[in-house]
Amino acid sequence: MSEQVRVRFAPSPTGYLHVGGARTALFNWLYARHTGGKFILRIEDTDAARNTEAAMQAIYDGLRWLGLDWDEGPLVGGDFGPYFQSQRNAIYESYIAKLRAGGHLYEDGGALRFRSLRKVQTVDDMVCGKIPFDLSNAETHPDMTIRRPDGSWIFHFVNVVDDIEMKITHVIRGEDHLSNTPKHLELFEALGATPPRYAHIPLIMNKDGTKMSKRDQGAAVGGYIEGGYVPEAVRNFLCLLGWSPKDDREIMPISEVVERFDPANINRKAAHFDLEKCDWINQQYILQMPLEKLAEQVEPWLTKAGINFDTRANILPVLTLVRERLKKLSDAPAWMDYFFTEDFPFDAEAVAKVLAKPGALDHLRALAAAYAGLAAAYAGLGKWTAAALETSLKSQATLAGVKVGEFVHPARIGATGRSVGASLYHTLEVLGRERVLARFDRALAKLSATK
Ligand code: GLU
């Protein structure tokens, strides 16, 4: 039986969680889930001065938001902890003793340095293939420092020790670490440990070919959370940054990605970051996700906007109407607010435009009467339907000898206070007879006064 895959995401909490880091975490998570292995979160917080609590929280929040649950690590524990490098000093000391006993260390001005093995180290990478690094030249490859004079640890050493101690089988990380890997191989060798398999994943580039930086738009995962993106959509987008299924499909449920994910399919070429594509994917998710689930994701945005929707059941018919207008979850309040309050504003520009049309108020008055009659005729028993409302409005337009639009626009303003929205007849149906008739009355009073 082959050993269980153990992979890790090992961020240094010195800033916010960036898409590059999130993508690294995602690929590790995918590989763990694909193989039935373990995904470990390890916090590389040796640089006490640069680490912040806020950055740590951003990592937890970002991973959780993306649904990347870790099997071992902070908050969940595990058999190989502690999972903070700042708490693993005793372990590092014991490895120092091992290296020292093997004659691999020497002091240099208070710093501890590792005596290079001075040979070719070949990185056998799952993505990049076999790459030999010749470390025989001390001029070009000076001995690495592993501990500073102040006692703090250098990344290479603690990273390798932890990968050994945590029994990491595969290291999937950014290509920016490829040049570090021969140094890591030396440490594994000196410690008599078998190195993990490596997969260095391509860098993420901006559309213009420059390397993506922390300041670029879309770089921080927190921006997607606050921007009203659907987490599953962002995760789907990140999956495609350097990996793709052979058939080039783009929208894929995560279960399918897990099933198909193979590091052998990771591109060698740089991944191109395209926020517009992320937006498009986001919209596809909004259109396609089950209505109940969409309601669940939209709810916090409505609440935040102070919209009193009472129960989720009230949201569902409205969402059915407006979902195709939503690009982000955060767009929901603007498209939905007037369904939940009678106290909605009238868009001045839309009002002015409608009133500029001769007869607009007469049309609205006629429509209000027709709709009241329609409701009375059927005693409101289920005939307040989009189809009936449409037929009625159209016959009013015919009677008046004007285009349908001459009735549609005043009706929309009257019922919603604005000139754009979902299908008018469906909007009126969802609002219901009483509210529409009352709104028409109020609008007539208000607009007559305006005019
Ligand atoms: N702390 C390192 C980083 O954030 C980890 C690199 C690795 O995955 O080995 O880049």
Side-chain angles (χ1 to χ4, degrees):
M1 214 181 87
S2 60
E3 63 177 342
Q4 187 184 51
V5 164
R6 291 177 58 83
V7 289
R8 83 298 192 277
F9 176 48
S12 307
T14 54
Y16 295 102
L17 180 61
H18 297 104
V19 285
R23 194 241 346 217
T24 298
L26 170 65
F27 282 17
N28 278 284
W29 179 89
L30 284 169
Y31 194 51
R33 296 297 170 258
H34 176 77
T35 56
K38 297 277 188 231
F39 174 55
I40 294 138
L41 175 60
R42 176 172 85 218
I43 305 293
E44 302 213 324
D45 57 347
T46 52
D47 190 348
R50 290 180 61 213
N51 296 319
T52 70
E53 197 58 46
M56 211 106 81
Q57 196 58 47
I59 291 167
Y60 303 151
D61 291 348
L63 294 181
R64 280 190 181 139
W65 185 75
L66 289 166
L68 306 181
D69 54 318
W70 54 99
D71 305 303
E72 293 174 27
L75 310 174
V76 304
D79 294 340
F80 299 85
Y83 293 91
F84 295 88
Q85 289 190 328
S86 59
Q87 296 170 17
R88 298 173 62 80
N89 242 354
I91 296 166
Y92 304 142
E93 294 288 1
S94 73
Y95 275 79
I96 287 289
K98 268 191 216 177
L99 285 178
R100 212 188 290 277
H104 296 292
L105 295 185
Y106 64 95
E107 272 196 40
D108 180 13
L112 264 189
R113 302 184 83 179
F114 174 80
R115 188 172 284 111
S116 170
L117 307 177
R118 297 280 161 238
K119 50 188 254 193
V120 174
Q121 293 289 350
T122 301
V123 179
D124 184 3
D125 195 272
M126 293 167 87
V127 179
C128 309
K130 277 200 167 97
I131 308 174
F133 288 85
D134 185 354
L135 306 184
S136 59
N137 186 335
E139 296 278 311
T140 52
H141 297 89
D143 291 338
M144 70 176 126
T145 300
I146 62 175
R147 191 173 203 175
R148 299 185 190 89
D150 69 1
S152 62
W153 304 106
I154 297 284
F155 153 72
H156 307 293
F157 172 67
V158 289
N159 184 266
V160 165
V161 169
D162 286 346
D163 283 345
I164 296 172
E165 280 285 303
M166 295 181 182
K167 301 200 183 326
I168 300 302
T169 59
H170 296 75
V171 166
I172 304 173
R173 62 184 174 192
E175 202 183 291
D176 47 332
H177 282 292
L178 183 59
S179 59
N180 291 328
T181 305
K183 292 182 191 157
H184 298 182
L185 290 177
E186 288 200 297
L187 288 168
F188 279 105
E189 189 173 331
L191 288 163
T194 310
R197 294 294 319 272
Y198 289 95
H200 287 91
I201 58 185
L203 297 180
I204 302 177
M205 302 291 211
N206 288 315
K207 263 176 155 176
D208 64 5
T210 57
K211 191 176 167 242
M212 191 169 184
S213 92
K214 300 180 177 184
R215 277 164 297 279
D216 284 315
Q217 206 203 351
V221 172
Y224 296 85
I225 304 178
E226 287 147 29
Y229 284 82
V230 173
E232 291 83 352
V234 176
R235 186 173 60 192
N236 191 143
F237 170 66
L238 293 177
C239 285
L240 301 175
L241 280 178
W243 178 85
S244 58
K246 290 208 175 84
D247 58 10
D248 277 339
R249 274 175 55 208
E250 299 203 297
I251 307 290
M252 293 179 76
I254 196 68
S255 55
E256 207 177 319
V257 182
V258 164
E259 197 176 299
R260 294 214 212 172
F261 185 80
D262 180 351
N265 289 354
I266 293 174
N267 298 333
R268 292 192 62 174
K269 279 190 302 202
H272 285 276
F273 183 81
D274 181 355
L275 198 54
E276 279 169 29
K277 178 154 174 184
C278 184
D279 290 353
W280 177 79
I281 293 176
N282 196 60
Q283 220 177 340
Q284 300 308 307
Y285 270 80
I286 288 179
L287 284 173
Q288 290 168 24
M289 83 168 84
L291 191 64
E292 274 278 346
K293 194 164 180 218
L294 181 60
E296 187 185 321
Q297 298 206 14
V298 155
E299 260 180 32
W301 292 94
L302 299 181
T303 304
K304 210 163 100 180
I307 294 174
N308 186 5
F309 54 86
D310 204 12
T311 65
R312 181 169 304 166
N314 293 334
I315 300 181
L316 301 179
V318 180
L319 259 186
T320 307
L321 263 185
V322 306
R323 67 151 61 178
E324 63 194 52
R325 313 272 164 158
L326 307 182
K327 293 197 167 73
K328 314 260 170 68
L329 298 169
S330 48
D331 295 337
W335 291 102
M336 294 174 75
D337 54 358
Y338 54 79
F339 285 94
F340 300 103
T341 177
E342 296 311 304
D343 186 23
F344 55 86
F346 282 82
D347 176 45
E349 211 175 298
V351 167
K353 215 169 137 190
V354 146
L355 289 182
K357 292 264 181 183
L361 286 179
D362 294 337
H363 298 155
L364 184 53
R365 218 170 274 125
L367 186 66
Y371 277 1
L374 174 81
Y378 298 101
L381 295 175
K383 288 299 179 185
W384 184 267
T385 61
L389 295 165
E390 179 172 0
T391 308
S392 173
L393 183 143
K394 284 183 171 162
S395 60
Q396 288 302 313
T398 309
L399 268 174
V402 296
K403 285 197 184 128
V404 173
E406 305 283 314
F407 273 77
V408 166
H409 299 305
R412 188 185 287 287
I413 303 269
T416 72
R418 61 195 83 177
S419 58
V420 286
S423 144
L424 173 69
Y425 308 115
H426 290 94
T427 299
L428 299 177
E429 179 184 313
V430 169
L431 281 170
R433 180 175 64 108
E434 273 167 50
R435 282 203 289 174
V436 170
L437 295 180
R439 287 182 183 195
F440 280 178
D441 276 351
R442 276 205 314 278
L444 279 166
K446 190 178 162 66
L447 301 185
S448 312
T450 311
K451 194 153 187 157

